[in-house]
Amino acid sequence: MPEWNRRQWLAAFTSAGLGAAGVAAAERSGPKPKRQIATRAEYPDADTTPLPLVDYQPRSMLHVTETHVPRSRYPNIDFHSHLSWIDSKGQSDVVHHGAKPEEILQVMDSKNVRMMVNLTGGYGPLLEETIRYWQAPHPDRFAVFVEPWYDKIAIPNYAHFQADQIERSSKMGAKGLKILKTLGLYLREQVKTGPLVKIDDRRFDEMWETAGALNMPVAIHISDPEAFFLPIDRFNERYEELNAHPDWSFYGKDFPSNLELQEARNRVMARHPRTKFVALHVGDSENLSYISECLDRYPNLYVDIAARIGELGRQPRTARKFFDKYQDRILFATDATPHGDETPQQIFGRELYEIYYRFLETEDEYFDYAPAPKPPQGRWRIYGIGLPDNILRKVYFENAARLLGLSH
Ligand SMILES: [Zn+2]
C-alpha cells in the first residue's frame, strides 16, 4: 500500500468523521502513515529563508489580562540606581551625571518613588561632588553611596587608608558603601595587572567593620548570571546578550567560578556580623534555594531585586514563596540608569517602573520584563507574583527605610 501524504490523511480523517475511538481503531488496523513534511513546490508562496535569530521578534498571541500599574500601591524607595558614575577612561577619573535632578524627580513623583539610592557615588573628592549635586539639595529624595578607592590598593597600609575613607565619606553624608563586581572579577594586585584580588581579602576587613560601626549598609554585587561563566555557544540561554556584550563573559581565563565568588562573600558576612550586607540582584536569582540557605545562615544579609525580575518572574511560584519567607529582607530596586540604551532592562523611566509594579502587584501572565522589542536578558517572558499589601509595604519601603536609618 502506498504511503499516504499529509493531505490524503487529513481528508480521510475528516470525511470519515473519525472520533478518538475511530482514530485509535484506524491506527491499530492499517499501516501507520508517515508524516510528511510539505515541500516547497506544494507551497510556492512560503518563505523558507532561514531567519537570523537577531531579527526574530515573536509577538504573543495569548489573550490574557493586561494590567497597567501607573503608580506603586505604596510609596517606594528604589534602592539601586546609577544616576551618576565614575568615568575612568580619560587621564583622570571624573564624575559623570546621567541627568539633572529635576528630570529624575519628575518621574519619581509620577511613579510614587519617594527616594532613590544612587549607588555609584565614587570616592574622595569625586564623592563630594556627587553628594553636592544629588543629595545636598534634595536630602529626602536622593541618597548617595561611597565606593572603595581601588586605585590605591597597592599602597602600604591600604587597609587603614580605605577604612579611613569610609569614615570620611560618612561625615560627608554618604549613606552606605557600594561594591561593584569589580571586586572578585576585575580588581588585580597592581589594579589592572597581576592576580585577581579576592573578595575576602584581609585588606578590606577594617573597611567592612567601619561600615558596620557607622550603620552604613554595604550594597554588594558579587558574580553574575551563571550563563556568563559558560561558553558563548548555542546552548547558552543568554547567547544574544553575551554576543552583544562579549566583555561580560567570565568563561575561562583566571576567573573564579560563580560558587567560589559567592562563598568568598559568605566568609566576609560571617566575619563581620555587625555589618549589614545587601546582596544586589537577589544575590543569586537563578538559584533561590542557595540564596535562601545564605539568608538563613547570615542574619546580616539582605537582597535587592534590581535587574532580576526577568529571573524571578520566570519562576513565579518559587519567587512568591521566597518573598513570603524573606519579606523583611527583600528591597525594591531597579538598577535604573538614565539615558542608557545598551541595557534596556535598566533604562530609567516611567515604563521601567510600571513593569516592576506589574510584576510585584498583579498576577498577569507572560509579559515582557524590559521595555524592549526583544527580551534583552534571555528569550522568555514573566509572570506577576501578586504580593499582598503587608509584604508590598515592606519590600517597597519599610525594609530599605530601616537599613538607611530613615524615619517613616
Ligand atoms: Zn547596578
Side-chain angles (χ1 to χ4, degrees):
M1 182 175 167
E3 282 187 348
W4 290 7
N5 69 26
R6 206 170 85 126
R7 240 176 248 167
Q8 285 168 319
W9 169 247
L10 278 173
F13 182 84
T14 47
S15 66
L18 296 176
V23 173
E27 278 181 354
R28 270 199 307 275
S29 55
K32 202 172 174 185
K34 225 187 236 167
R35 194 161 185 272
Q36 289 191 338
I37 295 168
T39 62
R40 180 112 202 223
E42 283 178 292
Y43 296 95
D45 297 333
D47 184 1
T48 52
T49 321
L51 176 69
L53 182 57
V54 66
D55 293 335
Y56 187 49
Q57 295 181 22
R59 293 181 184 163
S60 169
M61 295 294 111
L62 275 184
H63 294 250
V64 285
T65 309
E66 287 181 38
T67 316
H68 179 220
V69 190
R71 287 170 68 80
S72 54
R73 200 174 304 161
Y74 303 102
N76 72 67
I77 296 172
D78 184 346
F79 193 79
H80 186 154
S81 74
H82 303 284
L83 300 177
S84 62
W85 52 91
I86 303 308
D87 192 342
S88 45
K89 291 197 182 91
Q91 289 281 49
S92 56
D93 293 357
V94 290
V95 184
H96 180 86
H97 299 296
K100 292 209 166 75
E102 290 65 35
E103 192 187 332
I104 303 294
L105 284 164
Q106 242 179 36
V107 176
M108 289 169 70
D109 289 341
S110 76
K111 296 289 122 189
N112 213 9
V113 183
R114 175 92 47 96
M115 176 178 258
M116 286 187 80
V117 178
N118 179 20
L119 291 177
T120 31
Y123 44 80
L126 303 177
L127 172 75
E128 213 170 332
E129 149 70 10
T130 313
I131 291 176
R132 189 192 57 73
Y133 191 84
W134 293 99
Q135 190 178 296
H138 311 280
D140 52 343
R141 306 305 300 276
F142 298 112
V144 169
F145 276 31
V146 59
E147 296 174 87
W149 202 327
Y150 289 132
D151 283 354
K152 306 270 188 193
I153 186 78
I155 65 170
N157 209 1
Y158 171 75
H160 190 66
F161 166 84
Q162 186 52 66
D164 185 56
Q165 284 299 315
I166 299 301
E167 210 169 326
R168 283 165 191 252
S169 75
S170 173
K171 286 193 187 122
M172 253 181 237
K175 303 293 178 200
L177 167 63
K178 158 74 171 173
I179 306 295
L180 289 165
K181 64 184 171 188
T182 309
L183 184 58
L185 287 168
Y186 297 105
L187 180 66
R188 293 173 183 275
E189 283 299 336
Q190 285 80 46
V191 188
K192 292 204 170 95
T193 56
L196 284 162
V197 175
K198 298 224 171 1
I199 293 162
D200 58 339
D201 190 294
R202 290 282 179 184
R203 278 171 288 184
F204 297 112
D205 276 351
E206 213 176 318
M207 172 179 84
W208 308 125
E209 270 308 297
T210 306
L214 297 168
N215 282 323
M216 294 168 81
V218 178
I220 185 164
H221 178 178
I222 290 304
S223 191
D224 250 342
E226 286 187 24
F228 287 12
F229 293 81
L230 297 171
I232 309 173
D233 61 15
R234 66 199 168 113
F235 300 113
N236 195 309
E237 68 171 352
R238 289 173 181 264
Y239 175 81
E240 287 170 292
E241 189 182 23
L242 286 166
N243 212 22
H245 308 276
D247 53 316
W248 291 1
S249 171
F250 302 114
Y251 173 65
K253 300 188 189 147
D254 60 344
F255 295 120
S257 71
N258 173 46
L259 187 64
E260 280 170 324
L261 292 163
Q262 301 219 44
E263 294 289 315
R265 175 204 58 209
N266 292 352
R267 287 193 290 276
V268 170
M269 292 190 297
R271 234 187 263 159
H272 305 282
R274 284 196 313 161
T275 309
K276 295 196 167 66
F277 291 85
V278 181
L280 304 178
H281 311 300
V282 203
D284 191 340
S285 55
E286 292 152 310
N287 191 347
L288 293 180
S289 76
Y290 176 74
I291 199 69
S292 298
E293 277 172 35
C294 298
L295 283 156
D296 292 340
R297 223 178 313 148
Y298 308 104
N300 52 337
L301 172 62
Y302 297 72
V303 297
D304 89 0
I305 62 166
R308 291 298 181 273
I309 55 169
E311 296 302 329
L312 296 169
R314 66 168 167 158
Q315 44 180 331
R317 289 181 284 275
T318 309
R320 177 59 215 274
K321 285 184 202 136
F322 182 78
F323 274 82
D324 270 342
K325 187 155 184 212
Y326 302 105
Q327 55 185 271
D328 296 311
R329 294 156 77 186
I330 302 173
L331 312 179
F332 173 73
T334 62
D335 211 358
T337 307
H339 306 299
D341 51 10
E342 282 201 353
T343 48
Q345 68 274 17
Q346 288 178 245
I347 300 172
F348 173 84
R350 290 173 168 80
E351 236 184 316
L352 184 70
Y353 284 102
E354 288 172 9
I355 295 173
Y356 273 76
Y357 302 161
R358 190 179 181 193
F359 165 67
L360 293 169
E361 297 184 25
T362 80
E363 289 188 343
D364 280 7
E365 296 175 298
Y366 201 64
F367 55 94
D368 284 321
Y369 58 78
K374 279 181 288 173
Q377 293 169 289
R379 290 274 187 165
W380 54 81
R381 289 188 166 88
I382 63 167
Y383 304 82
I385 55 170
L387 292 174
D389 288 359
N390 61 320
I391 301 185
L392 280 177
R393 269 194 219 104
K394 292 176 179 182
V395 169
Y396 272 141
F397 194 86
E398 291 167 12
N399 296 340
R402 217 169 48 243
L403 275 179
L404 294 167
L406 305 178
S407 49
H408 290 201

